[in-house]
Amino acid sequence: MNKIIKKKRLNDTVTLMEIEAPWIAKKAQPGQFVILRVHEHGERIPLTIADYNPQAGTVTIIFQIVGATTEQLNHLEENDSLHDFVGPLGVPSKLDGLKKVAVIGGGVGCAIAYPIAKKLHENGVVVHSIVGFRNKDLIILEDEFKKVSHLYSVATDDGSYGTKGLVTHVLEDLLKRGEQYDEVFAIGPLIMMKFVSLLTKTYQIKTTVSMNPIMIDGTGMCGCCRLSVGGVTKFACVDGPDFDGHQVDFDTAIERSKMYQSFERRKREETCRLFHQEDN
Amino acid sequence: MANMNLKRNPMPTQDPNVRNHNFSEVALGYTKIQALDEASRCLHCKNQPCVSGCPVQIDIPSFIEKIKEEKFEEAYQVIAKSSSLPSVCGRVCPQETQCEAKCVRGIRGESVGIGRLERFVADLHHQKETEETMNVPFNGHKVAIIGSGPSGLACAGDLAKQGYAVTIFEALHLAGGVLVYGIPEFRLPKKIVQKEIDTLKKYGVDIQTNVVIGKTLSIDELMNNQGYEAIFIATGAGLPRFMNIPGENLNGVYSANEFLTRMNLMKSYELDSETPIQRAKKVAVVGGGNVAMDAARSAKRLGAEEVYIVYRRSLEELPARKEEVEHAKEEGIIFKLLSNPIEIIGNDQNFVKGMKCVEMELGEMDASGRRKPVVKEDSEFFLDVDCIIMAIGTSPNPLIKSTTEGLKTQPWGGIVIDEETGATSRPGIFAGGDAVTGAATVILAMGAGKLAAKSIDQYIKNK
Ligand SMILES: Cc1cc2nc3c(=O)[nH]c(=O)nc-3n(C[C@H](O)[C@H](O)[C@H](O)COP(=O)(O)OP(=O)(O)OC[C@H]3O[C@@H](n4cnc5c(N)ncnc54)[C@H](O)[C@@H]3O)c2cc1C
Ligand code: FES
């Protein structure tokens, strides 16, 4: 059982929680994740560690409400407890030896991109952060990003804030203007990471993406998180979640992420209905 | 005078066509009358061949003698001297290649149903057990056990009974190892495993779930910062193998571990479960061991109309327990023997629509002493299935090795130990079970846990 110390709504569909987990807080590094269950019969879901505080013994998670489990999670309040919380899992992001990077976050992926930008900034690296959202209301972590970035650029699909368009457009403009990066970190929807990787490939810039496939155990035991990277099968939970974006087979990853789509939709509707009844 | 009936008492079971739609236990267990009758078939041979067939040398003739005398609790105590998990082993041990293979009655007729008798006394014992806690005075020493499968549980029990403060660290949210995430309910009801775990708790064993050693904490931290004087590594062999054939990453291809974990640990077969599983119409399970049988029979119960076992050797080489193969056949599992997949074919949505296979024939003996399967020419055929489960083996997870300096392992990942003691290359660290041997059996893992408990006790006393 792990207590929720703090809960904060970042926008209509994205919530931040600080969870009491002293052992995990001590070990966590950017790029790693936890697996949690909300209740005794709940599903196991992976969430990336957005921040950690070894002194306070807390770990921050940021999640978008996309399915039944995140819906239930969002219904918990401060001082409630999670049934299970295990981590830190996965290999930490490799952030050494860099001078100048672009960190690209898409939607809730910004929650994962932020600790990376922060750590790089702490290491004295020049960070250009490019973040993308569907519209202005969905923007998260703006102040946090600004604090750790030399350049901070927002793109929205509808142009309601920042540049109208996609993060790839912003990145391409910067590259065309002659910006040079040692590495690009791209974290967000699979389709975004795919197109960022295609773009950076033409410029031959090393690109790291953070994969978030369906998982169960998170320890290498089931293989359901497997991906094809450079033609070789890798388990995202133990070999990743970071991989070379130029090597990942995104199309298969996109198909695999849809494996249980109809089940997930049904469960979410059931859960919403249940909460709705309770609220009335 | 012994009962000279050549046949053993048949095990009462659920009807095959009923049970292949439910998850309740298949084998129902002997009644007292059956148990007494079966016990009376034992000849009490002087040289006790059955005992030499048992990996932990249970005194089989004397527990059977106690059954004859209707002293069932005493019979249990005889078994408990050598085994920590009689109700589990009575159900899942491959008796036909162990104790029962050596039984003299098996020469002309059927061997005594030793496993069935073991299960009978263990179940009786568990029905009676009281709720009180067992107070063993603390002897001042702390031991950590990594992994809560049969090996870890056995080691924990023996140490706790001697007064050690034992903590088990388990990566998953539930203790039990393969007994809870792998072996299905219909073969090993989870309440039996829970009973064993509850008994350990009564002896004061502390079980910390959701702790991945190597990630959350390291072995060195346990020893240096947390005061554990000895460690037992019982992390099993959980890393699934795939065949590396085209199409293995299509939707609808599972490792047996994933499929069984979704079923057993996450209970995805229950309608209100929050963990999804594909409800396939036609399923092929690749492999021939217990894991393959469990996956196939689970798929059937989940509602598949056709379930195939695809195995590259013949019936004789099937490594699964004989009883499981028989049960699988009764339940309508179709055996495609001497067949091997070469490619998995998907539809335009990336879901499995079939599997290309070739027929095999048995050639020369290979290193394992079995005849090596070789491909028959021009024998390609297509199996029309929408789900494929790979049950072709597992190996030890590299996590502990990669985070524990100086721990020697085999090239394939197994931890190197001294066979006599279970000691690893690092003082104070012991290992056993599948983490050492690779995927093996519950009884061997349990036996290794008991051996390690003995060695740890000596190690700490001699320090
Ligand atoms: C489906 C299936 C059916 C089987 N059927 C039979 C049968 O009929 N008869 C038989 O005798 N045997 C059978 N076996 C084999 C038997 O279950 C195993 O040999 C036995 O469970 C091994 O025990 P163990 O204690 O070594 O490891 P496991 O039971 O594998 O337990 C290891 C535990 O350690 C945990 N762990 C791993 N790494 C870490 C870590 N870093 N930190 C913390 N915890 C960790 C795991 O989560 C797991 O719970 C079967 C196996 C499977 C998979
Ligand atoms: S989540 Fe099971 S192996 Fe990665």
Side-chain angles (χ1 to χ4, degrees), chain A residues 27 84 87 219 222 226 260, chain B residues 173 210 216 221 248 254-255 397:
Chain A
K27 279 288 167 68
D84 299 284
T219 65
C222 76
R226 65 192 186 277
Y260 299 109
Chain B
H173 59 257
N210 295 324
T216 318
E221 282 170 305
E248 253 179 335
Y254 288 90
S255 75
N397 192 314

Side-chain angles (χ1 to χ4, degrees), chain B residues 107-246:
Chain B
I107 300 169
R108 284 191 58 236
E110 292 180 344
S111 58
V112 175
I114 300 170
R116 296 167 180 187
L117 290 173
E118 178 184 25
R119 165 180 169 167
F120 171 77
V121 294
D123 285 357
L124 261 190
H125 167 83
H126 281 308
Q127 274 168 27
K128 286 211 200 91
E129 216 176 22
T130 53
E131 281 302 301
E132 70 203 73
T133 52
M134 333 278 180
N135 274 324
V136 190
F138 178 38
N139 70 4
H141 302 286
K142 277 171 71 177
V143 177
I145 292 175
I146 308 169
S148 62
S151 208
L153 295 178
C155 184
D158 282 8
L159 288 171
K161 285 172 198 166
Q162 296 175 71
Y164 287 93
V166 180
T167 306
I168 302 181
F169 294 98
E170 167 57 51
L172 294 172
H173 59 257
L174 200 64
V178 168
L179 306 182
V180 297
Y181 80 70
I183 304 182
E185 179 76 18
F186 58 82
R187 206 148 71 78
L188 179 63
K190 298 307 151 233
K191 66 170 197 294
I192 289 174
V193 183
Q194 197 51 50
K195 250 247 131 104
E196 301 289 356
I197 290 166
D198 290 345
T199 307
L200 288 188
K201 287 187 180 158
K202 281 187 211 159
Y203 279 103
V205 173
D206 174 29
I207 303 184
Q208 296 276 340
T209 51
N210 295 324
V211 179
V212 184
I213 300 299
K215 289 285 176 189
T216 318
L217 294 168
S218 69
I219 287 188
D220 287 297
E221 282 170 305
L222 292 177
M223 297 184 92
N224 302 337
N225 311 346
Q226 303 216 1
Y228 293 100
E229 291 170 64
I231 307 275
F232 179 53
I233 304 174
T235 45
L239 202 70
R241 265 184 232 137
F242 287 91
M243 291 189 77
N244 296 319
I245 55 173

Side-chain angles (χ1 to χ4, degrees), chain A residues 23-24 27 32 37 39 41-44 69 72 83-92 214-217 219-224 226-228 233 235 251-252 255-256 258-260 263-264 266-267, chain B residues 169 171-173 181 208-212 215-218 221 226 238-240 242 244 248-255 257-258 261-262 265-266 271-278 348-351 397:
Chain A
W23 283 346
I24 305 177
K27 279 288 167 68
Q32 290 189 294
R37 288 201 313 159
H39 61 85
H41 304 289
E43 181 190 16
R44 293 172 67 98
T69 303
Q72 294 161 4
H83 200 276
D84 299 284
F85 198 72
V86 55
L89 302 169
V91 182
I214 300 169
M215 292 189 184
I216 307 180
D217 58 298
T219 65
M221 182 269 271
C222 76
C224 86
R226 65 192 186 277
L227 304 164
S228 177
T233 296
F235 288 3
D251 294 336
T252 307
E255 296 298 345
R256 282 186 71 79
K258 296 183 194 155
M259 172 82 197
Y260 299 109
F263 176 94
E264 283 159 7
R266 198 181 73 235
K267 277 291 158 194
Chain B
F169 294 98
L172 294 172
H173 59 257
Y181 80 70
Q208 296 276 340
T209 51
N210 295 324
V211 179
V212 184
K215 289 285 176 189
T216 318
L217 294 168
S218 69
E221 282 170 305
Q226 303 216 1
L239 202 70
F242 287 91
N244 296 319
E248 253 179 335
N249 290 344
L250 288 167
N251 290 347
V253 183
Y254 288 90
S255 75
N257 266 3
E258 178 185 355
T261 301
R262 286 180 183 275
L265 184 70
M266 307 312 296
L271 280 177
D272 60 352
S273 169
E274 292 178 7
T275 302
I277 193 152
Q278 185 190 3
D348 51 6
Q349 323 227 336
N350 246 47
F351 274 80
N397 192 314

